[in-house]
Every structure is written in structure tokens, then in C-alpha cells.
Amino acid sequence: MGEGDSAGRLVRPFALTGGRTRPSRADFTLIATVTAVDPPPATAARCQPEHTRILRLCAEPLAVAELAARLDLPVSVVVILLCDLLEAGRITVRPPRLVSRTSPDLDLLQKVRDGLGRL
């Protein structure tokens, strides 16, 4: 067997995804929030180690980009693994909350201005 890459990884990313290069869903953006379902569904199949690591990290809500960084894996690989978990009912995903650019929160802006004026 060959040695791992410079990060010490023994398994290549394409092996983690079963050779898949594209996600099966489009639910995941870099800032989408992922949370593990607790308790897991009764029909949940046994996970591979990377899925288990994701579930452990997502005990609290975590953004996809942060998850990829903590796993030290490419975002594209993490998204494919997240698709597996979402389809198995093991995680929930929340898209980022849209913020209206046309109507700023004037009360918040005034508080910021007043706070800066005290400096």
C-alpha cells in the first residue's frame, strides 16, 4: 500500500464518495447550516467513518464551509457526504436567512452610530 498524502490522509477523497463527483441534491451552499438529527431515525443504516465524524461535529448547527475545514476535506466531497446523510434522514439543512438589502434596519444603524459617537 502507498503512503498517505501530505496531510496524512490514507484514503483519497473520491474513495470517500464512492467515485461520485457531483452531489445528488442542490440543498447545500457554503453557508447552509447542518444539524444532526437526534435521535437518529430507527431505520438508519450504519454509517461509514466520515459520516459518523460529520454527525458528531453537527451535534450543534454548523455551516458547510466550517464543516469542510474541520474535516480537512474539499467542500465538494463534504457536500456529497451530506447528501447521503440528508437522504438517510440523519441531518437537517437550513439555507441561510435572506436579508433584504432594500430596507436596512434603521434602528440598528442608529444604535451603531450612537455607540460609535461615544468613543
Side-chain angles (χ1 to χ4, degrees), residues 96-103:
R97 196 177 96 220
L98 296 177
V99 177
S100 173
R101 293 184 182 200
T102 58
S103 59

Short mmCIF file of all heavy atoms in Angstrom, two decimals, residues 96-103:
data_model
loop_
_atom_site.label_atom_id
_atom_site.label_comp_id
_atom_site.label_asym_id
_atom_site.label_seq_id
_atom_site.Cartn_x
_atom_site.Cartn_y
_atom_site.Cartn_z
N PRO A 96 -29.25 29.72 4.31
CA PRO A 96 -29.02 30.99 5.01
C PRO A 96 -30.27 31.86 4.97
O PRO A 96 -31.05 31.79 4.02
CB PRO A 96 -27.87 31.63 4.23
CG PRO A 96 -27.82 30.92 2.93
CD PRO A 96 -28.42 29.56 3.14
N ARG A 97 -30.45 32.62 6.01
CA ARG A 97 -31.60 33.53 6.08
C ARG A 97 -31.35 34.69 5.14
O ARG A 97 -30.28 35.30 5.16
CB ARG A 97 -31.78 34.03 7.51
CG ARG A 97 -33.14 34.64 7.75
CD ARG A 97 -33.32 35.06 9.18
NE ARG A 97 -32.99 36.47 9.24
CZ ARG A 97 -32.30 37.05 10.20
NH1 ARG A 97 -31.87 36.35 11.21
NH2 ARG A 97 -32.05 38.33 10.18
N LEU A 98 -32.32 34.97 4.30
CA LEU A 98 -32.18 36.07 3.36
C LEU A 98 -32.34 37.40 4.10
O LEU A 98 -33.21 37.56 4.94
CB LEU A 98 -33.23 35.97 2.26
CG LEU A 98 -33.10 34.76 1.34
CD1 LEU A 98 -34.24 34.74 0.34
CD2 LEU A 98 -31.77 34.77 0.62
N VAL A 99 -31.48 38.33 3.76
CA VAL A 99 -31.53 39.66 4.34
C VAL A 99 -31.89 40.63 3.24
O VAL A 99 -31.25 40.64 2.19
CB VAL A 99 -30.17 40.03 4.97
CG1 VAL A 99 -30.21 41.45 5.50
CG2 VAL A 99 -29.79 39.04 6.05
N SER A 100 -32.90 41.40 3.47
CA SER A 100 -33.34 42.38 2.47
C SER A 100 -32.33 43.52 2.40
O SER A 100 -31.98 44.13 3.41
CB SER A 100 -34.71 42.92 2.85
OG SER A 100 -35.05 43.97 1.99
N ARG A 101 -31.86 43.79 1.20
CA ARG A 101 -30.90 44.88 1.01
C ARG A 101 -31.61 46.21 0.76
O ARG A 101 -30.98 47.25 0.78
CB ARG A 101 -29.99 44.57 -0.16
CG ARG A 101 -29.09 43.40 0.12
CD ARG A 101 -28.15 43.18 -1.01
NE ARG A 101 -27.32 42.02 -0.72
CZ ARG A 101 -26.19 41.79 -1.30
NH1 ARG A 101 -25.73 42.60 -2.22
NH2 ARG A 101 -25.48 40.73 -0.98
N THR A 102 -32.88 46.16 0.53
CA THR A 102 -33.60 47.39 0.19
C THR A 102 -34.06 48.15 1.42
O THR A 102 -34.28 49.35 1.35
CB THR A 102 -34.80 47.08 -0.70
OG1 THR A 102 -35.66 46.17 -0.03
CG2 THR A 102 -34.36 46.50 -2.03
N SER A 103 -34.21 47.48 2.55
CA SER A 103 -34.69 48.18 3.74
C SER A 103 -33.79 47.85 4.93
O SER A 103 -34.04 46.90 5.65
CB SER A 103 -36.14 47.80 4.02
OG SER A 103 -36.24 46.42 4.21
#
